[in-house]
Structure formats: C-alpha cells, structure tokens
Amino acid sequence: MNLFGYYDVVVTGAGSSGIVAAIRAAREGASVLLLEGTGFLGGLITGGRLTKPTGLINSTIFHEMLDRCVGYKGADGRVRESYWGKYTGTFDAEVMQRVIIEMVEEAGVEVLLRANVTQAVMKGNAVHGLLIRTKSGESLVLAKAFVDASGDGDVAALAGADFMLGRESDGLTQPITSYFRVLNVNVPALIADCEANRADMWEVVYPKEAGDRNEDYAMAVLLTGFQQRIKDKVAEGFDWIIPKDHITMKTGLIPGEISVNVTRFQGNGLDDRDLSRAEIEIRKQAYCAFDFLQRYVKGFEDAIFLEVAPKLGVRETRRITGHYIITEADVRGNRRFDDAIGLCNSPVDVHEPGGSRAIMDHVGIGFGIPYRTMVPMKIDNLIVAGRCISADAIAFGSTRNVPACTMTGEAAAIAATLSATRGVPTSSIGVSEIQDRLRELGVWLGTPGEDVPDVLKQAS
C-alpha cells in the first residue's frame, strides 16, 4: 500500500466548512491535508453558485474570505435584511474561488483534488488513517486527527458512526436542486414587474436608491414569489414540469446577471442512480423555468441562458448522531448552551420533502450550536463539521446553511489542532479551550448570558 503522507490534521471535503477548517487548522500550526472529490475548491459556494449566505456570518475565516472578495470588487459585504432575517453580503463565485486558493496557499494547506475516501482505518474506536482512491490508484493517508466536512458524513459513516437520514415519518430528505444563471436581464423592468404584482411576491429586496441601470442592482437584489403567476399560466396551458410552486432569484456581479433557484428533484443524495437522474432532470427543469420567465416576467424578454451550476445542490443526506442532537425547539427557542461554539441566526429553511412547498422561518436573535453535535458517538479522533452535524430534520433546516457550516468548521479545526499538537485523542480536548480560542478570534458563541452584537439584537 502506498503511503501518501502523515499529517497533524486531515480535512475531508472542500466546501465552505472544509475550507474554513483547513485554513484555521493550518494557521493554528498544524500540518494539514485537504481532500476533495471534485476538481475545484469551495463546494456549493463556488461550483454550486450559492453566493448569498443565509444568515449573518460568524466565522472569522469566512469573514476574511468575504472581505477579500470585497477588495477584488467581487462582493457586497453589507448586512441586508429579508423577511426571514438578516444576512451578510453576497459574492461572485469565481472571485470567491480566487480568494480561497490564495488563503489556502498562504496558510500552507496541502490540497488533493479528485480524491475519494474509500475506507476509514481504525485503531479500536479511533480513526487512524484513510484509504483514498485517485487517478494514481489507492493510497493511505495517516493523521493524528480528522475533520469530516464532506457534507454527507462519509468518513464518519465509514468509521462506523450512527447517523440519521431523512425525516422520521418516511425517511425522505429535502430535495436536490441547482441554481441556473441568466444574462442580459433588464433588472429595473424586473423590479417594476415585481412591485406591480407585490401581492404575489414574498420578498422584493433591492436598493431603493438604485436608478434605471443594471449596474445599480449588481449583487443587491433578492426576489421570491411568482406563485400565483405560475398557477395562472399552468391553468392556461403552460407545461410547468417543476415540482415547486415559487421562484427565488438574485442578481450577480455582472450587470444584468440573475441566478435562479427553482429546480427540485426528490431523490437520495447517496444513491448514484438518483444523482445521475437529478443532473438530467434539473437541467430540463431549468430550461422550463427559463422559458416561463422569458414569456411571462418582464425584463427577461432578451435574456440569455448562461449555465446550470456545475455542482449539484444536494441539500440533505446523513446527519451524524452526536453526543447531543440539536432540535427544532432549540432553534426556534433561541436556546443557549454551555458548550456552544457559535451563535447562528439562519432561518429554518426546509424545502418540503416529496412536495412543492418550502418554509423560511425567522429565528430572531439566534441559537447556540453545541460542540457535542460535532462529536460522533463511539468514534474518537474525528470531528464532523458542516451540514452533517447532529440535528433533527427541522433544526437541520437552519444548521445546513453557510453560517453554521463555517462556524462548525472553525471550531472543528481548533479542536483537531489541539488534539494533534498535544498527541492526545480528540475526546481529551475540553470545550472550554476551544471556546477560549474562538472568543479570542471574536466569534459570538451562543452561551448563556453572553452579550451579542447590536446587529443581532436588532434582528430579534
């Protein structure tokens, strides 16, 4: 067996949580390998065109990423507000990719793309290594501590961790989706159309000072609705093949660029056949939605279909069973925890499994994310981060979003680095040390009695 290398920390998955985890661990002094199955960094925030964090950013690494994008004139870092709460900025996917590459290289992280984990090598109940498969064949990676930021909880599952999948009643998960991008939209005409049909719109967010140029609206518009219009046009005979009853869209960096979120495929994100079908069906749905917009929504008459996002938007797969399962009541009740590692105000964002509806429920000032949700039961030397942390099906509607993913990535990195540099299992690291370091960095933790910034107080 070829030994690829031996590291302090190995992070699996280069989405938002994995990128943050790898950079933070390297900055804390660890030697870090970042494994990623695709050919690019950033996951959904780059390849998935998920360029608007749903909530306020509370990770210092991700804040820096956004600030650097602003420096390249590729982001709007201002706090904005929707009916579901406040959120931090928007950014361009390729500018974010540039920033990620810079920060990963500056930190000294080794990156291995197109590498898939096939087996967890165990010593007792502790992860000791990973077997990976690349174009070169199979290799062994050894490390002192591991962070599973795969989204799907792949490493944890291979290590034998228990997990939850889907809702309790029928096992269905939130549907798969992909953004598609359109160019040459007349944005002022689109805004006027939405205002003229305000009763059919759930949200119409745009800069009130903007004029009649597309440039005035770049990265500053968020629209959701069109529900009645879809219903009416279907009644008139339009062939709407999408199992979703509304459309969300946002402007991008290019004047006249619109990203549309409307596609929906019900399937298992861990099943190869479902994933293949999703890739095809979602494109067919995107073409359908584009035809609808061109015919029935002003501003799209001369629009050009640019692309379907290259990375499939899998919303939900495994949720690893940790030492605590965060619940819907915790999220909606703004609960604080003694072992909290981040305060999250992301809404309860649930796309109905098997249906056409969705909810986006405001959670006010936010809730704490317990460190225990990141620690798998019965498995040592492994910490999970991102959307595979321990949460029930409704709480997951909040914790799956970028703000929580990046917070858990940063906390996981600190825990893994402390474990690796001391040569002790991750289970030996007390949460207070992780919290102390996060406080030094300026993270709002979500612990009892903790004060929070005015921007969050105003959000409640």
Side-chain angles (χ1 to χ4, degrees):
M1 175 64 63
N2 176 58
L3 177 61
F4 185 85
Y6 182 55
Y7 302 85
D8 291 329
V9 176
V10 169
V11 178
T12 302
S16 60
S17 54
I19 290 294
V20 167
I23 293 170
R24 171 53 63 202
R27 287 186 179 181
E28 297 294 299
S31 60
V32 179
L33 175 66
L34 176 61
L35 298 171
E36 167 58 35
T38 70
F40 58 88
L41 299 173
L44 288 178
I45 63 172
T46 55
R49 311 309 191 224
L50 184 63
T51 55
K52 176 188 60 59
T54 306
L56 294 171
I57 295 302
N58 190 12
S59 156
T60 57
I61 294 290
F62 198 81
H63 256 304
E64 183 180 339
M65 291 161 61
L66 186 61
D67 288 346
R68 290 198 188 198
C69 288
V70 171
Y72 281 122
K73 303 187 186 312
D76 180 343
R78 292 174 290 180
V79 171
R80 296 191 178 276
E81 188 164 8
S82 175
Y83 72 95
W84 43 258
K86 296 193 176 184
Y87 60 97
T88 309
T90 55
F91 52 87
D92 178 75
E94 198 57 42
V95 174
M96 178 59 79
Q97 179 89 183
R98 177 180 183 178
V99 165
I100 288 170
I101 291 171
E102 284 182 356
M103 291 178 64
V104 163
E105 291 186 344
E106 288 169 7
V109 174
E110 183 177 355
V111 174
L112 186 62
L113 300 175
R114 298 186 175 90
N116 294 302
V117 178
T118 60
Q119 184 178 332
V121 179
M122 309 295 291
K123 282 189 175 181
N125 69 338
V127 181
H128 176 63
L130 301 176
L131 289 182
I132 61 171
R133 178 164 289 282
T134 68
K135 192 71 172 177
S136 303
E138 197 169 56
S139 298
L140 174 64
V141 174
L142 301 176
K144 299 174 184 175
F146 297 83
V147 175
D148 184 347
S150 64
D152 297 326
D154 289 333
V155 174
L158 288 169
D162 294 333
F163 60 86
M164 300 162 277
L165 183 63
R167 60 188 180 187
E168 287 188 16
S169 59
D170 55 15
L172 288 181
T173 58
Q174 292 195 45
I176 299 167
T177 190
S178 286
Y179 273 100
F180 69 89
R181 288 202 296 166
V182 177
L183 297 181
N184 205 41
V185 177
N186 183 333
V187 180
L190 169 61
I191 296 293
D193 184 314
C194 293
E195 288 289 14
N197 294 276
R198 198 64 179 82
D200 194 27
M201 299 301 298
W202 304 355
E203 62 182 335
V204 181
V205 177
Y206 63 94
K208 304 305 181 191
E209 71 278 7
D212 58 1
R213 306 180 313 145
N214 275 343
E215 289 84 348
D216 299 336
Y217 298 88
M219 292 189 295
V221 174
L222 182 60
L223 308 170
T224 301
F226 306 99
Q227 191 173 35
Q228 188 61 48
R229 199 174 317 194
I230 293 169
K231 186 176 180 180
D232 291 345
K233 299 308 177 185
V234 169
E236 293 172 13
F238 183 81
D239 186 17
W240 180 261
I241 66 170
I242 308 167
K244 187 174 180 178
D245 62 1
H246 61 282
I247 303 171
T248 295
M249 60 183 74
K250 59 187 177 182
T251 50
L253 177 62
I254 303 168
E257 173 194 352
I258 294 283
S259 289
V260 182
N261 182 353
V262 65
T263 61
R264 176 173 283 188
F265 179 87
Q266 188 63 55
N268 181 351
L270 301 175
D271 183 278
D272 288 338
R273 286 191 170 93
D274 277 1
L275 290 171
S276 292
R277 284 195 292 267
E279 296 277 12
I280 301 299
E281 292 302 320
I282 279 173
R283 276 169 171 75
K284 290 161 61 177
Q285 292 177 18
Y287 306 144
C288 170
F290 178 69
D291 291 346
F292 178 91
L293 293 169
Q294 278 203 309
R295 292 183 199 179
Y296 304 123
V297 179
K298 292 178 181 177
F300 281 90
E301 295 87 349
D302 299 316
I304 301 165
F305 192 106
L306 175 63
E307 67 165 5
V308 174
K311 183 171 177 61
L312 196 63
V314 177
R315 286 192 176 94
E316 180 182 3
T317 53
R318 301 182 188 96
R319 307 187 313 276
I320 301 304
T321 304
H323 289 260
Y324 184 80
I325 301 173
I326 193 166
T327 68
E328 177 183 4
D330 295 333
V331 170
R332 295 188 185 277
N334 292 170
R335 188 171 174 188
R336 300 293 185 267
F337 294 90
D338 289 334
D339 66 332
I341 50 79
L343 182 64
C344 179
N345 81 316
S346 293
V348 174
D349 176 3
V350 177
H351 293 251
E352 182 184 22
S356 62
R357 298 173 298 174
I359 61 170
M360 290 280 283
D361 290 346
H362 189 18
V363 300
I365 202 166
F367 59 94
I369 300 175
Y371 177 65
R372 287 167 291 163
T373 63
M374 301 164 55
V375 182
M377 297 287 287
K378 301 179 289 187
I379 306 296
D380 211 343
N381 282 7
L382 176 67
I383 304 164
V384 299
R387 66 176 171 84
C388 56
I389 68 169
S390 183
D392 73 20
I394 301 300
F396 172 79
S398 178
T399 61
R400 72 181 180 86
N401 286 295
V402 169
C405 287
T406 52
M407 277 184 272
T408 55
E410 195 146 11
I414 292 169
T417 303
L418 287 170
S419 168
T421 55
R422 292 179 184 174
V424 299
T426 54
S427 57
S428 298
I429 304 302
V431 70
S432 60
E433 288 191 86
I434 302 166
Q435 292 174 315
D436 288 346
R437 181 61 180 136
L438 289 169
R439 286 192 187 96
E440 287 177 8
L441 293 167
V443 174
W444 322 315
L445 296 182
T447 51
E450 177 193 49
D451 197 13
V452 296
D454 289 340
V455 67
L456 275 173
K457 292 175 182 175
Q458 293 160 6
S460 64

